[in-house]
Amino acid sequence: MISEATAERVVGPDPADVLDEQLVRQLSERARAEGLRLTGEGGLLSRLTKMVVESALEGEMEDHLGYARHDPAGRDGGNSRNGTRSKELLTEAGPVQIAVPRDRDGSFAPQLVGKRQRRLSGLDDLVISLSAKGLTHGEICAHLAEVYGAEVSKQTISTITEKVLEGMSAWQSRPLDPVYPVIFIDAINVKIRDGQVANRPIYVALAVTCEGTRDILGLWAGEHGDGEGAKYWLRVLSEIKNRGTQDCLIVVCDGLKGLPEAIATVWPQTITQTCIVHLLRNSFRYASKRDWSAIAKDLKPVYTAASESDALDRFVEFSEKWEKRYPAIIRLWTNAWAEFVPFLQFDREIRTIICTTNAIESINAHIRRAVNARGHFPTEQAALKCVYLAVMSLDPTGTGRQRWSNRWKAALNAFDVTFDGRLSAGKK
């Protein structure tokens, strides 16, 4: 076999490549001589875009008519060219004026740039990317004007980002795995103007898959305050079940009202586990900052205990030391004890998976940055769109699956043994 490099030395480079390089060199030298900018109106990239788009449109017209320009075949009295019409396109290189060919009977429908299309798709992708990073519509307009010289209205930005709603709907209804070892349910608070600006939760359901990856199952808007109850969570969990998830071993949450009852209805065998990290974090809210390290040290023997009885003994010791100063912390742990103790029956491998919240925290931090940049949202749909864009920007493929733990095989075996083979049975 002759390598490509050897073949090129023997027969020389492809003439088309040589012509392309010569064209680019000529354009670059001309731009430098004329002092052209790279981007913006009249810049080099704008001129190149104009040449490429117009050439492609001319090719589409040839395919449509069945003959090339000036070909005698076009003199038979059938449909033929009828000049051009001017059109301004918004591109990442700036605004570009192009000449769109027309035909006499008006049947030509270009695919590259549709009849009512004013933007090349690359600009749409750029706008959606900037929106996912938390930029407001006004900031995106300013960015496009400053960097690309493109004047884009806020309404155009809104129209572009509205396109993601179809993708969000498809993503929210996509089929799910038949069984998950763990599902975490957490809330992000957003400000929505509904008469007046008020905090509303958006719930994120994040699962650990049987392959040890994370899978964001969906987003659900909640009510202001403590509006959610068993009926609300029954609807959410039933939706997840109807999308294919027939079993879940553990659901980890943070004291969401009505959720344990809904879990027991939808997945009777599933264990409801309070989030240890949230429990610790909520404890610190009641304590002076100077006592945080001491409280954390005294609580560690409780949640690392080998058994429930051992944990209860350690909690009694904690209570005797801190109850006079921080009775609210004691009440917090007492009220959460029923959802806390299931954690103690698991071995170290399963405990590690449940307590490994870095993936959740990184997602939440990314969502909060995007949400906080907007201030508040006019509607629930606008808030959901922002959170969805933030989630998708973490995973452009749309699968949402990234590695959860490097020690997954040991955890998988522990889950399968502890839960009597339900993982293996569910995957079949």
Side-chain angles (χ1 to χ4, degrees):
M1 295 289 292
I2 301 176
S3 68
E4 291 183 6
T6 303
E8 185 170 315
R9 286 197 300 270
V10 174
V11 302
D14 189 332
D17 292 338
V18 173
L19 288 174
D20 289 343
E21 290 178 8
Q22 289 175 349
L23 176 60
V24 172
R25 190 179 301 111
Q26 289 171 5
L27 288 170
S28 301
E29 291 173 353
R30 181 178 171 184
R32 188 165 54 249
E34 296 178 6
L36 289 179
R37 294 181 301 163
L38 183 64
T39 59
E41 189 171 4
L44 176 59
L45 291 182
S46 295
R47 292 189 177 188
L48 284 171
T49 301
K50 176 180 174 66
M51 292 171 58
V52 171
V53 171
E54 289 183 346
S55 176
L57 290 173
E58 184 60 34
E60 286 192 51
M61 178 60 84
E62 288 185 8
D63 290 341
H64 176 67
L65 296 176
Y67 60 87
R69 182 184 292 275
H70 308 305
D71 191 314
R75 300 172 186 169
D76 61 1
N79 191 20
S80 60
R81 287 172 173 77
N82 188 27
T84 62
R85 59 183 175 87
S86 180
K87 184 174 189 176
E88 182 178 80
L89 283 180
L90 291 174
T91 75
E92 293 176 77
V96 176
Q97 289 286 344
I98 63 170
V100 181
R102 299 185 299 185
D103 60 344
R104 292 199 176 277
D105 65 10
S107 59
F108 177 52
Q111 299 301 308
L112 178 64
V113 181
K115 287 188 175 182
R116 286 174 292 277
Q117 183 179 344
R118 296 290 177 183
R119 303 179 307 274
L120 288 183
S121 58
L123 183 70
D124 290 14
D125 295 340
L126 177 62
V127 168
I128 290 173
S129 175
L130 292 172
S131 182
K133 288 177 171 56
L135 272 69
T136 64
H137 290 177
E139 289 170 337
I140 295 173
C141 293
H143 175 81
L144 294 175
E146 178 183 354
V147 177
Y148 301 104
E151 297 295 331
V152 183
S153 69
K154 291 183 181 180
Q155 181 57 46
T156 299
I157 302 298
S158 180
T159 301
I160 292 173
T161 56
E162 286 297 323
K163 289 183 177 181
V164 307
L165 294 179
E166 291 183 10
M168 183 173 78
S169 178
W171 174 79
Q172 187 80 5
S173 59
R174 75 195 188 281
L176 300 177
D177 291 357
V179 59
Y180 290 105
V182 187
I183 294 177
F184 295 84
I185 297 179
D186 202 3
I188 299 291
N189 283 316
V190 301
K191 295 183 184 298
I192 297 176
R193 180 180 292 280
D194 185 10
Q196 61 181 6
V197 177
N199 280 329
R200 292 268 301 276
I202 290 183
Y203 296 104
V204 181
L206 185 149
V208 183
T209 72
C210 294
E211 290 72 39
T213 59
R214 74 185 189 198
D215 186 6
I216 301 175
L217 308 184
L219 306 169
W220 292 268
E223 298 296 329
H224 174 56
D226 297 325
E228 288 80 47
K231 186 180 293 185
Y232 172 87
W233 289 113
L234 185 62
R235 177 175 63 82
V236 171
L237 297 183
S238 295
E239 178 184 322
I240 293 174
K241 185 174 183 179
N242 291 338
R243 289 163 60 192
T245 302
Q246 300 303 309
D247 193 11
C248 174
L249 306 186
I250 306 170
V251 174
V252 180
C253 57
D254 179 28
L256 296 173
K257 184 179 178 182
L259 182 54
E261 294 87 342
I263 292 170
T265 300
V266 176
W267 297 309
Q269 293 181 284
T270 298
I271 292 174
T272 302
Q273 172 67 52
T274 192
C275 179
I276 306 301
V277 174
H278 280 96
L279 199 54
L280 291 170
R281 189 177 297 157
N282 292 338
S283 300
F284 297 146
R285 291 178 182 174
Y286 296 109
S288 172
K289 197 169 184 178
R290 69 174 182 271
D291 292 327
W292 284 6
S293 60
I295 289 173
K297 181 180 179 181
D298 291 344
L299 279 174
K300 188 173 182 179
V302 178
Y303 63 84
T304 58
S307 64
E308 182 179 351
S309 60
D310 186 25
L312 192 57
D313 291 340
R314 304 291 78 77
F315 183 63
V316 169
E317 294 172 0
F318 177 87
S319 301
E320 290 172 351
K321 179 176 179 180
W322 294 103
E323 187 169 18
K324 285 186 178 181
R325 190 178 304 176
Y326 301 122
I329 297 179
I330 309 304
R331 185 171 63 251
L332 174 71
W333 280 76
T334 301
N335 292 340
W337 195 260
E339 281 77 43
F340 160 69
V341 291
F343 178 81
L344 302 173
Q345 66 183 282
F346 306 131
D347 63 20
R348 184 173 60 87
E349 299 297 344
I350 295 179
R351 292 189 189 191
T352 299
I353 295 301
I354 295 175
C355 285
T356 303
T357 59
N358 289 343
I360 301 172
E361 295 303 325
S362 66
I363 291 172
N364 287 350
H366 192 79
I367 293 173
R368 286 192 183 97
R369 281 197 297 272
V371 166
N372 292 339
R374 302 295 179 86
H376 68 271
F377 298 89
T379 63
E380 176 185 290
Q381 188 80 323
L384 281 169
K385 182 175 71 172
C386 176
V387 175
Y388 169 73
L389 284 171
V391 168
M392 289 299 101
S393 70
L394 288 169
D395 174 45
T397 65
T399 63
R401 303 202 172 201
Q402 297 175 354
R403 176 60 56 185
W404 182 273
S405 170
N406 292 327
R407 291 174 51 83
W408 176 247
K409 290 300 181 183
L412 179 63
N413 280 274
F415 273 112
D416 214 36
V417 170
T418 303
F419 290 90
D420 298 325
R422 280 164 57 193
L423 277 188
S424 302
K427 289 189 293 183
K428 292 179 181 178

